[in-house]
Amino acid sequence: MSSTPRASAPGLSTSSPLRPLEGTRLLVLRNYVTYKSAWKLFLTGFLEPVFYLFSIGIGVGKLIHAFELNGHSIPYAEFVAPGMLAASAFNGALMDSTFNVFFKLRYEHLYDQMLATPLTTGDIARGEIIWGQLRGASYSVAFLVVMWAMGLVHSWWALLAFPATLLIGFAFSAVCMGLTTWMTSWQDFDKITLVQLPLFLFSGTFFPVTAFHGVLRWIVEATPLYRGVVLCRELTTGVLSWESGVSVVYLVAMGVAGLIVVRRRLDALLLT
């Protein structure tokens, strides 16, 4: 294991004490510097939900006139677009907190090298989660601009949709990074896909949750992406209900729980 600080964040000395959260800031800065030349990765993450919006929201929307949301009728494109907004934050956070974290942890041993500096496992956990959150949010803010340009936003509440995507990114980054610490091979990522696709398709993204009945509907309503979709949809349409409050509490609790698990798992993997 290397004891050199070459993998640490820019400007970090192995002997200098760190101010609170300084290590977290430096790790986020390191990721920014690393990805700055790989901006095309962010472009592809933004285009995917845009293509879904054009093909399904606009194309299928020609066949489906409107859906009802909390007693208000909204066009199908306006129904689908917020779902894509939440899904873009979800996908960005998931990709960065699984594949990239796994490579750094198991193959590059980057975190071992970081711990040779004043960085702690808490800094690593917070830094990677915040970066995954920001990556998902970068997709979402660009998508939100597309929604506005297409006339799919009609409420000032939509200004809170961006903070909502940050919350979605935080929740999924934390939980996905925690789950990644238990993975031992690239084959384990088949399990990620097995969960990612059903969440994307059946979280109220393309059709109302009322299509489900009984226990199945309860299960869907308990999934994290559904909570994110509900939050983004109610904010962008301005049709708010108590469900938005439930979604905020749910996602905050999910993110905090994930952060605690990541910290403990990194302690167990890197400090023993």
Side-chain angles (χ1 to χ4, degrees):
M1 182 187 303
S2 172
S3 60
T4 62
R6 66 176 180 86
S8 60
L12 181 61
S13 168
T14 57
S15 59
S16 60
L18 295 178
R19 298 187 299 273
L21 300 182
E22 180 69 8
T24 301
R25 185 189 70 83
L26 290 171
L27 189 58
V28 173
L29 176 60
R30 179 206 176 274
N31 281 329
Y32 167 74
V33 171
T34 301
Y35 281 93
K36 187 166 60 173
S37 60
W39 59 269
K40 292 180 181 179
L41 294 176
F42 290 77
L43 183 62
T44 56
F46 155 69
L47 288 176
E48 181 181 355
V50 171
F51 290 152
Y52 271 107
L53 176 61
F54 287 161
S55 62
I56 297 179
I58 305 300
V60 178
K62 298 294 184 181
L63 306 176
I64 303 174
H65 296 293
F67 276 145
E68 186 175 291
L69 178 64
N70 299 336
H72 295 74
S73 180
I74 62 173
Y76 185 65
E78 293 180 22
F79 181 89
V80 171
M84 292 292 95
L85 179 65
S88 63
F90 159 62
N91 287 328
L94 182 144
M95 292 296 292
D96 210 274
S97 299
T98 53
F99 290 93
N100 292 339
V101 167
F102 181 79
F103 180 76
K104 295 174 185 177
L105 179 65
R106 300 293 185 181
Y107 286 85
E108 196 175 19
H109 299 290
L110 180 61
Y111 302 142
D112 296 292
Q113 300 172 51
M114 287 182 174
L115 291 177
T117 74
L119 290 173
T120 66
T121 54
D123 293 324
I124 295 172
R126 289 188 296 269
E128 292 290 12
I129 289 170
I130 290 174
W131 177 252
Q133 175 187 20
L134 292 176
R135 179 171 178 176
S138 69
Y139 298 165
S140 300
V141 70
F143 187 78
L144 195 56
V145 171
V146 171
M147 288 177 59
W148 173 80
M150 293 177 62
L152 301 178
V153 176
H154 303 289
S155 171
W156 287 105
W157 283 105
L159 294 174
L160 295 179
F162 177 64
T165 61
L166 287 174
L167 181 57
I168 295 168
F170 167 61
F172 278 104
S173 290
V175 169
C176 290
M177 185 175 178
L179 294 175
T180 301
T181 60
W182 273 283
M183 295 182 183
T184 57
S185 70
W186 292 108
Q187 283 69 35
D188 288 333
F189 282 91
D190 290 340
K191 302 170 186 175
I192 295 293
T193 305
L194 187 63
V195 174
Q196 180 185 14
L197 187 59
L199 279 179
F200 176 66
L201 294 175
F202 303 109
S203 293
T205 315
F206 300 108
F207 51 86
V209 71
T210 52
F212 303 105
H213 302 284
V215 176
L216 184 58
R217 176 171 175 174
W218 295 346
I219 293 173
V220 171
E221 290 179 336
T223 58
L225 184 56
Y226 174 77
R227 302 313 328 172
V229 169
V230 166
L231 182 58
C232 288
R233 182 169 288 143
E234 293 194 352
L235 288 173
T236 56
T237 58
V239 183
L240 299 178
S241 72
W242 60 270
E243 283 205 63
S244 290
V246 171
S247 297
V248 169
V249 173
Y250 182 111
L251 294 170
V252 168
M254 176 179 167
V256 171
L259 178 59
I260 294 172
V261 170
V262 171
R263 172 68 183 274
R264 293 181 177 178
R265 284 292 296 162
L266 292 180
D267 284 347
L269 292 172
L270 303 177
L271 299 182
T272 56

